[in-house]
Amino acid sequence: MKRRYFGTDGIRGQSNVFPMTPDLAMRVGIAAGTIFRRGSHRHRVVIGKDTRLSGYMLENAMVAGFTAAGVDAFVLGPIPTPAVAMLTRSLRADIGVMISASHNPYEDNGIKLFGPDGYKLSDELEMQIEELLEKDLSTQLAKSDDIGRAKRVDGVHDRYIEHAKRTLPRDVTLQGLRIAIDCANGAAYKVAPAVLWELGAEVVTIGNEPNGTNINLNCGSTNPVALQKKVDEVRADIGIALDGDADRVIIVDENGAVVDGDQLMAVIAESYAESQQLRGGGIVATVMSNLGLERFMQDKGLGLVRTMVGDRYVVEHMRQHNYNVGGEQSGHIVLSDYGTTGDGLVAALQILAAVKRTGKTVSEVCRRFEPVPQLLRNVRISGGKPLEDIIVQKAIADAEAELAKSGRLVIRPSGTEPLIRVMAEGDDRSQIERIVNDLIGTISSARSAA
């Protein structure tokens, strides 16, 4: 069955436009509630959200759906995605929901679902939900006496703050550090500065005034310019940029240079290996991670395993093969010793621990390898399947053959937007630029002809 609703990270789209309508959100609540309604106990769901205007609408719709299915709804309000995953387990819920479109602009929104173990749902469970969404759900509604109850839960921020603080090693404090943090006007605008301050840092916060429409707007991990300026202005030792739901992080060093997820994984992997904390013999990354990271890991006698794009696929491989460090170049860092999904704040704390222990600057600690020249460009599509075009396929094969010994080529449809992403990397920058530009032209021509 072809997936109609779920992409690489839940259901996502423009608010009030199919599929991100209150009607579908309510139906997802009924369908998911039905699938996870197992046994005779009172079933419960925890529902968190980020700070988007449409979050109010979708939150209420999902509460209606779950309670109609006989599931009690525990409403958390604005809170990071990793906190929802943690609270799903902590509150012994049957399912967790995060209403967020992550790093997308406020006009978009999304629905991420977690199982009772705090992990994102498997493809199989998502397909079961999709199958139910195509059916008459009236037969799944609870009897009048069994309708679920809904209540807002207090103290959830405090629970997550304490959880995050406990991930910093006991022998490390943040005293003496001046930290600038950009909360992207998103879900972590309260909890992230509190964690850093309580651990002893001097904290300068930006992106902490959400108004429903400014989430990720000229701020956060996808646009760290404001944070770079703030680091320079206040002479901070480090800048931390989260995204709208705080499951990813980008670092800015004391000189204003941006440090991506690949460098952060290198720092954490090397630190964990030295303390004999690293499991699996290396890390799990995706096909988009830089070749320089792979070479760095090899030089350290460690491995790098690649998965499809999407932190859920990284996590699946980590679970199957006992890795405890994985992530994406975009800043999704998964540390399974502390959580079940990407956690930008917890990842930042591991970087801060390495900085404090070495006594070096952030720029010295976080520049672990020289990235191989890498170029990523997108082709917007409105229909058709240009990647199935014979001319496009031949052009891709020719490019792969040319890069066989000196680089890599990754071409894939986006799981969250109507785009085809073309990425190439290798030691020769001019060669990479030529290959990507040629492929973009070929794909665009096939798209136009479709």
Side-chain angles (χ1 to χ4, degrees):
M1 180 178 174
K2 187 176 183 297
R3 293 163 70 93
R4 184 182 181 193
Y5 305 101
F6 286 92
T8 56
D9 196 17
I11 303 172
R12 191 176 298 186
Q14 185 177 346
S15 301
N16 252 1
V17 177
F18 183 85
M20 287 318 305
T21 62
D23 174 65
L24 186 77
M26 182 176 68
R27 291 176 62 80
V28 170
I30 296 172
T34 298
I35 289 173
F36 282 89
R37 198 172 57 208
R38 303 163 179 168
S40 57
H41 64 279
R42 292 291 302 182
H43 295 83
R44 61 175 59 173
V45 58
V46 296
I47 302 176
K49 64 179 181 179
D50 63 24
T51 56
R52 294 164 208 271
L53 177 63
S54 57
Y56 296 98
M57 172 185 75
L58 297 173
E59 176 186 65
N60 287 322
M62 297 210 74
V63 168
F66 278 108
T67 54
V71 179
D72 293 338
F74 285 36
V75 183
L76 310 179
I79 196 166
T81 288
V84 172
M86 183 267 290
L87 288 164
T88 300
R89 292 178 298 160
S90 176
L91 295 174
R92 297 177 65 181
D94 299 275
I95 189 168
V97 177
M98 180 63 181
I99 301 170
S100 172
S102 191
H103 60 281
N104 286 27
Y106 90 92
E107 294 91 345
D108 295 341
N109 216 327
I111 298 171
K112 304 180 186 184
L113 300 175
F114 297 90
D117 55 4
Y119 288 96
K120 291 180 180 178
L121 301 190
S122 65
D123 289 337
E124 291 73 22
L125 280 171
E126 288 182 347
M127 288 305 299
Q128 289 181 37
I129 293 173
E130 290 219 355
E131 289 174 6
L132 273 180
L133 289 175
E134 297 297 316
K135 297 179 179 179
D136 178 9
L137 290 174
S138 63
T139 59
Q140 307 297 334
L141 300 180
K143 297 178 181 178
S144 299
D145 292 343
D146 297 327
I147 292 173
R149 300 175 183 271
K151 71 174 183 177
R152 201 161 283 277
V153 184
D154 297 323
V156 291
H157 286 173
D158 295 333
R159 284 178 181 242
Y160 177 69
I161 287 170
E162 289 305 313
H163 162 76
K165 285 166 58 179
R166 285 197 298 271
T167 67
L168 192 74
R170 289 179 177 270
D171 62 335
V172 177
T173 75
L174 303 184
Q175 291 181 355
L177 287 179
R178 179 177 295 164
I179 301 174
I181 182 165
D182 182 351
C183 300
N185 292 313
Y189 78 102
K190 288 184 178 179
V191 295
V195 168
L196 298 173
W197 184 84
E198 290 183 20
L199 288 170
E202 178 185 348
V203 184
V204 178
T205 308
I206 63 174
N208 63 330
E209 297 180 353
N211 61 15
T213 63
N214 62 357
I215 187 171
N216 300 314
L217 180 62
N218 299 322
C219 60
S221 61
T222 54
N223 194 340
V225 175
L227 181 61
Q228 290 173 295
K229 292 179 179 177
K230 184 57 69 173
V231 167
D232 178 64
E233 175 190 331
V234 303
R235 297 183 180 180
D237 298 297
I238 187 174
I240 299 171
L242 304 173
D243 69 336
D245 67 335
D247 66 351
R248 67 165 71 178
V249 62
I250 293 296
I251 295 296
V252 173
D253 70 22
E254 76 281 2
N255 300 316
V258 173
V259 181
D260 69 12
D262 284 347
Q263 296 282 0
L264 300 183
M265 283 190 283
V267 173
I268 295 171
E270 185 176 26
S271 175
Y272 280 19
E274 289 174 353
S275 61
Q276 298 185 332
Q277 187 180 345
L278 188 68
R279 298 201 308 273
I283 65 174
V284 181
T286 76
V287 293
M288 301 302 287
S289 279
N290 194 276
L291 185 59
L293 172 61
E294 186 172 333
R295 292 172 176 174
F296 169 83
M297 297 296 292
Q298 291 172 348
D299 289 344
K300 295 293 180 181
L302 302 170
L304 183 148
V305 178
R306 295 183 185 271
T307 71
M308 294 187 296
V309 171
D311 64 320
R312 56 182 296 199
Y313 300 113
V314 171
V315 171
E316 284 177 7
H317 194 92
M318 291 173 66
R319 295 180 72 187
Q320 292 169 1
H321 302 280
N322 196 33
Y323 287 82
N324 62 342
V325 177
E328 298 185 282
Q329 187 183 69
S330 61
H332 281 120
I333 309 295
V334 183
L335 305 172
S336 61
D337 291 342
Y338 307 120
T340 56
T341 189
D343 191 325
L345 181 58
V346 168
L349 291 176
Q350 307 311 302
I351 300 300
L352 289 166
V355 170
K356 289 290 287 187
R357 279 177 166 168
T358 61
K360 297 180 179 179
T361 64
V362 174
S363 59
E364 291 174 309
V365 169
C366 291
R367 191 71 174 186
R368 306 316 301 153
F369 63 88
E370 189 65 33
V372 169
Q374 185 181 80
L375 181 60
L376 170 65
R377 288 185 61 191
N378 299 320
V379 181
R380 186 164 292 276
I381 56 175
S382 56
K385 298 180 179 179
L387 293 184
E388 296 181 5
D389 184 273
I390 295 176
I391 296 176
V392 171
Q393 291 179 348
K394 183 179 185 306
I396 292 173
D398 290 345
E400 288 176 335
E402 184 178 347
L403 286 172
K405 295 181 180 180
S406 60
R408 296 189 311 122
L409 178 68
V410 179
I411 300 178
R412 64 180 186 88
S414 169
T416 58
E417 299 176 84
L419 303 172
I420 291 176
R421 305 193 190 280
V422 179
M423 188 278 283
E425 62 179 353
D427 297 314
D428 186 339
R429 181 177 295 276
S430 61
Q431 178 192 40
I432 295 303
E433 291 176 351
R434 173 178 52 78
I435 287 174
V436 170
N437 290 334
D438 288 349
L439 286 172
I440 288 291
T442 304
I443 293 171
S444 296
S445 297
R447 175 199 63 186
S448 301

